[in-house]
């Protein structure tokens, strides 16, 4: 296949290849990351690498990834824009695939929380971070300089959805606090821009969630709704004014998660 896209080296030992699947939910597209020995001066077809998220089932993207010596594939969570390419990439490379859910694993075991995986000459730690979905995980490429890969738990810009009831706000807030308790390091999301440090973005995400909860409480007071009879649709205009119509479903799920957190949507 001619003219395959090439990864961009964004840090020593970190290559980025973005899938061509932009949308209101995926921003510029899904970021697939190739991790390799940071002492290597370049990423070549012979460089052993660990891949985070093959992305969607897009031929050019998957063939571009398969041009490298991928020895292991790691999955951040179950959504199709991250997992759709699993079978094609596994067929092309033979690389085992690991995830938190068995249905996404290929010739490998499911993750254990905080386990350290050694492959392709590097170490990657798995950190369970449920909230966006129940199976969401982040990865830390350990070394002299560590790097945090957040999947959809933290995006490069904007905020992520909580896919309630699978994802809960209580889990999500705990996951953000868990990441914030770790050392500050470069943050690499599955969608959007890269960040040189993680703590400011994590703190902003926590502040945003607290602000949303205050907005929901104020909207409930305005509507005179103090019990379990409130529906997310009744709150949409008050909590999300000028909402893009394409995001109504995502905002409704986040409202469901917020109401559940407040004990109003069991």
């Amino acid at each position: 296949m001619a003219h395959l896209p090439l990864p961009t080296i964004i840090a020593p030992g970190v290559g980025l290849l973005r899938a061509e699947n932009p949308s209101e939910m995926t921003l510029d597209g899904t970021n697939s990351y190739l991790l390799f020995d940071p002492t290597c001066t370049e990423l070549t077809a012979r460089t052993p690498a660990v891949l985070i998220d093959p992305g969607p089932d897009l031929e050019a993207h998957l063939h571009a990834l398969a041009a490298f010596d991928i020895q292991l594939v790691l999955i951040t969570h179950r959504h199709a824009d991250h997992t759709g390419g699993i079978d094609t990439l596994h067929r092309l490379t033979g690389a085992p695939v690991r995830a938190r859910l068995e249905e996404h694993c290929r010739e490998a075991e499911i993750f254990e929380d905080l386990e350290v995986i050694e492959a392709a000459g590097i170490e990657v730690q798995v950190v369970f971070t449920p909230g966006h979905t129940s199976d969401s995980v982040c990865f830390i490429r350990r070394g002299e300089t560590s790097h945090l890969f957040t999947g959809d738990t933290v995006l490069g810009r904007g905020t992520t959805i909580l896919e309630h009831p699978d994802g809960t706000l209580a889990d999500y807030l705990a996951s953000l606090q868990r990441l914030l308790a770790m050392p500050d390091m470069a943050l690499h999301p599955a969608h959007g821009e890269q960040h040189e440090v993680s703590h400011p973005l994590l703190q902003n995400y926590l502040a945003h969630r607290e602000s949303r909860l205050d907005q929901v409480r104020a909207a409930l007071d305005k509507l005179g709704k103090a019990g379990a009879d409130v529906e997310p649709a009744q709150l949409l205009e008050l909590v999300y004014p000028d909402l893009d119509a394409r995001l109504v479903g995502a905002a409704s799920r986040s409202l469901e998660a917020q109401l559940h957190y407040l004990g109003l949507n069991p």
Side-chain angles (χ1 to χ4, degrees):
M1 186 177 294
H3 306 299
L4 289 174
L6 295 173
T8 300
I9 305 303
I10 58 174
V14 182
L16 165 63
L17 190 65
R18 180 177 298 117
E20 292 295 327
N21 63 328
S23 72
E24 64 277 4
M25 297 300 293
T26 61
L27 304 180
D28 308 308
T30 300
N31 295 331
S32 295
Y33 293 100
L34 289 160
L35 311 186
F36 56 99
D37 186 338
T39 64
C40 293
T41 57
E42 60 180 338
L43 175 62
T44 72
R46 294 184 178 181
T47 307
V50 172
L51 172 66
I52 295 178
D53 285 344
D57 191 11
L58 295 178
E59 184 178 16
H61 181 71
L62 296 170
H63 277 267
L65 291 172
F68 296 92
D69 182 15
I70 296 174
Q71 299 193 352
L72 179 66
V73 179
L74 307 176
I75 303 297
T76 60
H77 68 292
R78 60 180 174 77
H79 285 153
D81 60 307
H82 300 257
T83 61
I86 286 175
D87 285 330
T88 297
L89 191 71
H90 182 60
R91 175 175 56 80
L92 291 172
T93 67
V97 182
R98 296 194 64 189
R100 191 168 175 184
L101 298 179
E102 188 173 359
E103 66 197 77
H104 298 133
C105 293
R106 302 292 183 269
E107 300 181 25
E109 300 296 319
I110 61 172
F111 293 136
E112 294 182 13
D113 189 26
L114 296 180
E115 72 169 300
V116 177
I117 299 169
E118 297 183 9
I122 62 171
E123 292 185 347
V124 180
Q125 185 170 36
V126 179
V127 182
F128 285 8
T129 51
H132 171 67
T133 60
S134 61
D135 70 311
S136 289
V137 303
C138 294
F139 302 108
I140 297 174
R141 203 282 305 276
R142 307 206 312 182
E144 185 174 339
T145 301
S146 295
H147 293 259
L148 174 64
F149 299 85
T150 56
D152 283 8
T153 297
V154 178
L155 306 183
R157 65 177 184 272
T159 57
T160 195
I161 68 166
L162 304 183
E163 195 164 283
H164 188 79
D166 180 58
T168 71
L169 182 54
D171 278 347
Y172 188 66
L173 293 176
S175 292
L176 292 178
Q177 291 284 8
R178 188 180 203 196
L179 294 175
L180 196 54
M182 295 178 174
D184 205 359
M185 66 189 90
L187 185 151
H188 308 286
H191 307 285
E193 296 81 9
Q194 312 298 310
H195 290 259
E196 293 184 359
V197 289
S198 58
H199 283 186
L201 190 57
L202 292 166
Q203 290 164 343
N204 287 341
Y205 261 55
L206 281 167
H208 169 77
R209 291 295 170 180
E210 292 297 337
S211 176
R212 281 287 189 226
L213 285 170
D214 287 342
Q215 289 177 291
V216 171
R217 292 185 184 101
L220 290 169
D221 288 342
K222 185 172 183 177
L223 293 172
K225 300 284 188 179
D229 57 342
V230 67
E231 295 291 336
Q234 297 173 278
L235 302 175
L236 272 175
E237 290 187 5
L238 294 174
V239 179
Y240 296 95
D242 304 318
L243 180 68
D244 187 322
R246 295 172 296 179
L247 299 176
V248 167
S252 296
R253 289 195 295 276
S254 286
L255 276 171
E256 288 173 5
Q258 291 155 4
L259 291 170
H260 178 266
Y261 183 79
L262 295 172
L264 299 177
N265 186 21

